[in-house]
Amino acid sequence: MLNNWVVAPTCLPLVLRRCHTCASERFRANGKFRVNAHHKLIDAWLLVLCTACGETAKLTVLERVNVRSVRPQLLDRMHDNDPGLAAELLQDPVVRRRNRIALDWGGAWRLDTGGSDHLDRDVVDVSVRFAARIPVRPVRLIAEGCALSRAEVGRLIAEGKVVSAVRLSGKVSGDFTFMLKR
C-alpha cells in the first residue's frame, strides 16, 4: 500500500542577505510590497525586515516595466500585500538571482505523514510530494516520517533496505518515492 507524505511550508522562509546597517544576514518577509509608478513605467519591490535591527530592505520584483505589460491581477495582489504572492516570488529563481538572495527554510516547513499506521509494517512504500520547492535531505524526511534516527536511516541505505530512484544523500526539493524494507 502506497503512503503519501507531504512536505508543506508553515510560514515564509528567511531571506539570506547581508544587512547594510548591522552584521546580520537574515531578513524576514512579511508580505508587504511597495509599488511606484513613473508615468507609464512601474517599479515594484517586496519589503523584507532585518531580524536583528529591523532595517527594511527592498527586493526588486519589477523594474521600469511598462504598466500595460503587467497583469492587472498581479498589480492588485501587490497593492493588497498578498502573502501568497510573496511566497511565490521568494521561490521564483529569477527574483532570487536578480536580488542575489538565498532562502533559509529551517523551521518553516512540516512533514505530514497522514498518521502512524505505517510504522509497524515490514515494507513501507512512500510517495513524498512537495507543496513548495523546499530543499530537504531525504534522510531527514525518512527519519522523521518513520520515527528512526538519521544514523539508522543511513545504515539502512547502506544495507540496501531503503531504495529510491533519486539520490538519497543530497538535498531534494521535488517529488520522489522510496521503499523501506525492515
Side-chain angles (χ1 to χ4, degrees):
M1 183 168 120
L2 182 68
N3 292 308
N4 293 310
W5 293 359
V6 178
V7 178
T10 56
C11 61
L12 292 174
L14 291 177
V15 175
L16 299 176
R17 173 185 169 168
R18 188 157 197 73
C19 180
H20 296 294
T21 305
C22 68
S24 176
E25 293 185 357
R26 298 188 185 285
F27 283 81
R28 183 180 63 254
N30 57 3
K32 302 273 187 213
F33 290 89
R34 171 134 194 263
V35 180
N36 195 6
H38 308 281
H39 302 287
K40 294 182 181 180
L41 301 177
I42 192 167
D43 292 325
W45 301 276
L46 174 62
L47 303 177
V48 292
L49 301 171
C50 178
T51 57
C53 68
E55 182 71 19
T56 301
K58 298 187 288 188
L59 303 180
T60 303
V61 176
L62 300 173
E63 187 171 34
R64 301 289 180 189
V65 176
N66 191 318
V67 175
R68 291 182 184 211
S69 67
V70 179
R71 293 187 329 266
Q73 298 88 352
L74 177 64
L75 222 52
D76 290 342
R77 290 177 74 187
M78 283 189 212
H79 284 298
D80 293 339
N81 292 320
D82 184 4
L85 178 61
E88 291 171 27
L89 291 172
L90 284 175
Q91 293 182 29
D92 185 357
V94 174
V95 172
R96 289 201 321 248
R97 190 172 32 257
R98 176 188 296 153
N99 293 286
R100 292 185 216 106
I101 62 169
L103 301 178
D104 178 10
W105 282 98
W109 61 273
R110 71 174 171 12
L111 176 65
D112 183 16
T113 61
S116 61
D117 60 338
H118 63 279
L119 295 177
D120 56 350
R121 290 194 219 134
D122 290 334
V123 177
V124 181
D125 196 14
V126 177
S127 171
V128 180
R129 188 178 63 78
F130 286 77
R133 295 194 56 80
I134 304 170
V136 183
R137 295 185 185 281
V139 171
R140 180 175 180 186
L141 294 177
I142 296 168
E144 189 175 319
C146 294
L148 301 169
S149 70
R150 290 187 202 175
E152 178 73 12
V153 172
R155 187 183 60 74
L156 291 171
I157 291 171
E159 292 175 358
K161 293 186 176 182
V162 177
V163 181
S164 179
V166 300
R167 194 181 83 222
L168 297 174
S169 60
K171 288 187 176 184
V172 297
S173 57
D175 300 351
F176 70 97
T177 59
F178 71 91
M179 182 183 301
L180 168 68
K181 303 172 197 166
R182 295 183 196 220

